[in-house]
């Protein structure tokens, strides 16, 4: 199991603005210009931003060994997904593709 543990209630609270002051909340979603065109885009607050099937999702992932886990939610935290995967292979692109497919199907 990865060292990082995620919970849907904490992610929902974070994305809905219940855990941070307004100025910190704005930083959480601010996207630096350098992230334009990157495969994985990260906000100044460290969240990954992705558009999957026309839906913008925000999340955080972590990996240790072959295991990967993460939490993703739609903007505002209305829909949330927490995942933990132990893929058969260690191909990073394949693992990323599986996570994108899982997030897209769930959210």
């Amino acid at each position: 199991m990865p060292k990082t543990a995620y919970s849907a209630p904490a992610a929902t609270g974070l994305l809905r603005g219940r855990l941070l002051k307004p100025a910190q909340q704005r930083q959480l979603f601010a996207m630096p210009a350098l992230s334009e065109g990157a495969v994985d885009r990260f906000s100044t607050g460290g969240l990954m931003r992705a558009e999957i099937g026309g839906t913008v999702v925000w999340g955080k992932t972590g990996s240790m060994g072959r295991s990967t886990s993460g939490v993703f939610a739609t903007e505002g935290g209305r829909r949330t997904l927490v995942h933990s995967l132990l893929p058969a292979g260690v191909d990073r692109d394949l693992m990323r593709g599986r996570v994108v497919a899982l997030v897209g199907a769930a959210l």
Side-chain angles (χ1 to χ4, degrees):
M1 180 65 92
K3 289 182 184 177
T4 310
Y6 299 103
S7 86
T12 301
L14 181 66
L15 294 172
R16 289 186 178 169
R18 296 181 188 154
L19 303 178
L20 301 175
K21 294 178 182 177
Q24 293 171 314
Q25 188 74 13
R26 283 190 297 276
Q27 280 188 327
L28 189 63
F29 298 102
M31 296 301 294
L34 292 174
S35 69
E36 289 296 324
V39 173
D40 292 328
R41 298 181 60 204
F42 294 90
S43 71
T44 55
L47 290 181
M48 179 185 289
R49 181 190 187 278
E51 189 169 331
I52 301 174
T55 300
V56 173
V57 296
W58 296 88
K60 188 71 178 154
T61 62
S63 298
M64 189 166 105
R66 294 185 322 148
S67 176
T68 183
S69 62
V71 61
F72 285 90
T74 55
E75 290 183 295
R78 184 170 173 214
R79 299 182 75 192
T80 306
L81 165 74
V82 177
H83 72 81
S84 182
L85 299 172
L86 182 58
V90 292
D91 182 322
R92 184 179 181 339
D93 292 332
L94 180 61
M95 199 169 2
R96 185 183 189 286
R98 288 183 178 158
V99 169
V100 168
L102 177 66
V103 172
L107 301 179

